[in-house]
Amino acid sequence: SESESESASESESESESESVSEDESEEESESESEESEEESEFASEEESEGETESESEEEVIEAVAEEESEDESEEETESESEEEVIEAVAEEDSEDESEEETESESEEEVIEAVAEEEIEEESEDAPEPTASPTTSPTDEPDSPVIENQADPAEIIAENMVPVPPAPKPTSKPKKTTKASSIDCSDLSEDERADAIREQLSAITDLAVMDNDMSPQGRAYDWITYFDPAQLCPGGKNEHLLNQRYILATLYFSTRGDEWFTCYMSDPNCEMNSISVSEFRPVVGGVGGAQGSKAWLSGDEAGSECNWFGVDCNAGIYVQNLELPNNGLAGRLPNEITALPKLDILGLEENQLIGPIPSGWKDGLYRVRLQDNILSGPMPVFPPSMLSIELGNNRLSGPIGTAVTNLPNLKKLNLQENRFTGPIPASLGALTQIKEIRLHGNKFGGAVPGDVCVLRMHNFDFKKLSVDCKEVQCECCVPECPWNGR
């Protein structure tokens, strides 16, 4: 029985071991199947991930391509926008140019209208040449009416465009083009200088102008290179450059930098000009400083009309030039006679020397050069003269025919000079005369009978003075009582 029990136990252990082995094999097979399933799942996951990555790369490539196409379309759009902007700007520029042309035409029309109104006012206010004088024997004669003056309307329209101011240069400036003058854009600096020289040769001999030390040479150099206005030569407005040059010549000829007031760059010019105007006597409605700016100033055509002592007709032509007692020292240049519309020349009480130029333009009617150091012969004046005052100088020689052909003359003052010879009978033809002063000279003989007859019939002829001891005069009462019997 023990053996049977041992065999039974052995069989049981064998069966148990077999069952264990079977369990182990089943576990191994299950483990192997799980591993194979995991490997297959991992492989499938890797394949799916590869496919996903491939799809992502394709999507990125497509997105980049789309962005590049969008950038190209945006660049094309920007290019088209830029072209549209350029076209719009060009259209605006064209419209601005047309508007500027319209405004320019409107300004010219307004300027012409203003000029016409000024001309009508001047014609209404102008004094009659036959107007009666005041009762004072020292009053100035009446001003004549100057006819056939050029219509300044067109000239004003081209010469009132303002130009930005420029300081006095220290060297020759570059050529600039002014709207107020003829277009110089096609001229180099040398060509412009040559053109100005050729134009001014009608006023000044070139041999004189080419001398850099002469007043004319200095005036040419100033107006060509240093004048702030930088005018252009030629054209119908050439007189604007001419008269500016003439005044500059007077300035350099009379030591302008040493004038008492309103010399170039004088900082006190305006203040001094006002005080001079207040205390200067006004005789016969004429006198006093006209402009109030320093000489050789101004950057516009016609700005010389604002210089101290200068007055212009409608801002175009120099009409009055009056600088009494202002320290002018030197000679009167011949160029001053080329001012075409000059009415009054008043340079008395200065230190002017040399002869008085002849060749004055008809229209000049009053000259005041007394109390200077002028010498030489009696100058010839135009028939338009009303008053000649040359007393207290050193003029010499006979009067001769210089006082003939002066039908409107009312005052002839030649006292305190060095005139010689007989008193000319042509004085008897001065039918409008009111005053003749001849004393303080070296005349001889007798006062012509025609002069005495004129005084008997012309009751306005109130003053006739001679050196009674040297000149016999039967009609100089009360000036020469002992010769008047």
Side-chain angles (χ1 to χ4, degrees):
S1 63
E2 290 176 356
S3 64
E4 286 177 355
S5 61
E6 287 175 358
S7 62
S9 62
E10 288 175 356
S11 62
E12 286 176 359
S13 65
E14 287 175 354
S15 61
E16 286 176 358
S17 59
E18 287 176 355
S19 64
V20 169
S21 64
E22 286 177 355
D23 291 335
E24 290 176 353
S25 63
E26 286 177 358
E27 288 176 357
E28 288 177 356
S29 63
E30 287 177 358
S31 175
E32 289 176 354
S33 66
E34 287 176 357
E35 288 177 357
S36 63
E37 286 177 358
E38 288 176 356
E39 287 177 356
S40 63
E41 286 177 359
F42 181 77
S44 64
E45 287 177 359
E46 285 182 347
E47 288 177 357
S48 64
E49 287 177 358
E51 290 176 356
T52 303
E53 289 177 356
S54 176
E55 290 176 356
S56 300
E57 288 177 356
E58 290 177 355
E59 289 176 356
V60 169
I61 292 170
E62 290 177 355
V64 170
E66 289 177 357
E67 289 179 355
E68 289 179 351
S69 64
E70 289 178 357
D71 291 339
E72 290 178 354
S73 63
E74 288 178 357
E75 289 177 356
E76 292 177 355
T77 303
E78 290 177 354
S79 176
E80 292 176 355
S81 300
E82 289 178 354
E83 292 178 354
E84 291 176 355
V85 170
I86 292 171
E87 292 177 355
V89 170
E91 292 177 355
E92 290 179 356
D93 290 341
S94 176
E95 292 176 357
D96 291 340
E97 290 178 357
S98 63
E99 289 177 359
E100 289 176 357
E101 292 177 356
T102 304
E103 291 177 356
S104 177
E105 292 176 356
S106 300
E107 289 178 355
E108 291 180 357
E109 293 176 356
V110 170
I111 292 171
E112 290 178 357
V114 170
E116 291 176 356
E117 291 178 359
E118 291 179 351
I119 293 172
E120 292 176 358
E121 291 176 358
E122 288 181 1
S123 62
E124 293 176 357
D125 297 337
E128 294 295 331
T130 57
S132 58
T134 57
T135 57
S136 174
T138 60
D139 284 348
E140 294 285 340
D142 300 317
S143 303
V145 177
I146 307 300
E147 299 179 351
N148 300 324
Q149 292 200 12
D151 185 2
E154 297 180 357
I155 302 173
I156 292 176
E158 296 182 17
N159 291 282
M160 294 186 67
V161 179
V163 183
K168 178 183 177 183
T170 57
S171 60
K172 294 182 179 180
K174 295 182 180 179
K175 174 181 70 63
T176 58
T177 302
K178 297 292 180 180
S180 59
S181 58
I182 300 169
D183 186 13
C184 281
S185 58
D186 295 333
L187 298 180
S188 67
E189 183 178 275
D190 291 338
E191 289 173 340
R192 174 178 171 272
D194 291 340
I196 291 176
R197 179 176 178 271
E198 181 179 359
Q199 177 176 317
L200 297 181
S201 65
I203 302 173
T204 301
D205 185 84
L206 288 178
V208 177
M209 193 189 310
D210 291 341
N211 181 359
D212 294 337
M213 301 303 295
S214 68
Q216 293 80 1
R218 295 175 66 187
Y220 165 75
D221 190 64
W222 172 80
I223 204 166
T224 303
Y225 301 109
F226 299 101
D227 182 6
Q230 287 293 284
L231 301 182
C232 290
K236 63 181 180 180
N237 297 328
E238 66 180 23
H239 70 276
L240 294 173
L241 188 147
N242 289 349
Q243 73 179 11
R244 201 169 175 89
Y245 163 76
I246 292 169
L247 294 178
T249 300
L250 174 67
Y251 181 87
F252 290 115
S253 184
T254 58
R255 303 180 186 178
D257 292 339
E258 300 177 13
W259 288 0
F260 296 157
T261 188
C262 292
Y263 50 85
M264 182 173 60
S265 302
D266 179 10
N268 300 317
C269 176
E270 293 194 32
M271 180 178 64
N272 291 339
S273 65
I274 292 173
S275 97
V276 169
S277 299
E278 288 177 351
F279 293 101
R280 180 177 298 167
V282 178
V283 182
V286 177
Q290 307 300 323
S292 60
K293 303 295 183 181
W295 276 58
L296 307 190
S297 65
D299 56 7
E300 300 178 17
S303 58
E304 64 275 5
C305 295
N306 297 323
W307 294 353
F308 173 68
V310 178
D311 184 32
C312 291
N313 179 13
I316 300 299
Y317 293 97
V318 174
Q319 187 173 11
N320 300 340
L321 179 56
E322 300 180 86
L323 294 168
N325 192 22
N326 199 40
L328 280 68
R331 295 175 179 269
L332 281 176
N334 290 329
E335 285 76 9
I336 197 173
T337 64
L339 292 172
K341 303 296 182 181
L342 184 63
D343 291 343
I344 299 173
L345 179 66
L347 304 179
E348 67 270 26
E349 301 179 21
N350 285 291
Q351 300 294 313
L352 298 175
I353 63 174
I356 301 172
S358 294
W360 302 88
K361 304 296 184 183
D362 195 24
L364 179 69
Y365 63 84
R366 182 176 291 116
V367 170
R368 298 195 306 271
L369 293 174
Q370 68 269 25
D371 300 314
N372 279 283
I373 319 173
L374 295 166
S375 59
M378 176 72 181
V380 177
F381 291 106
S384 54
M385 292 302 301
L386 296 181
S387 176
I388 300 174
E389 297 184 63
L390 306 178
N392 198 19
N393 279 286
R394 298 178 183 178
L395 301 173
S396 60
I399 296 178
T401 59
V403 293
T404 60
N405 194 26
L406 299 174
N408 300 314
L409 191 65
K410 299 181 179 182
K411 179 185 291 187
L412 179 63
N413 288 349
L414 305 179
Q415 74 277 9
E416 304 298 338
N417 276 284
R418 300 176 182 179
F419 290 116
T420 58
I423 296 175
S426 57
L427 293 180
L430 304 177
T431 56
Q432 303 297 317
I433 199 69
K434 298 179 180 180
E435 180 179 330
I436 297 178
R437 297 176 183 266
L438 303 176
H439 63 274
N441 286 283
K442 298 180 179 180
F443 292 117
V447 173
D450 291 343
V451 176
C452 289
V453 170
L454 177 62
R455 190 174 187 190
M456 291 174 59
H457 292 86
N458 182 3
F459 296 104
D460 291 329
F461 189 1
K462 298 183 180 299
K463 185 70 176 181
L464 173 60
S465 66
V466 298
D467 296 313
C468 300
K469 292 183 179 180
E470 286 79 21
V471 177
Q472 182 178 359
C473 182
E474 297 181 355
C475 58
C476 292
V477 178
E479 289 82 4
C480 297
W482 52 89
N483 282 342
R485 297 185 178 87

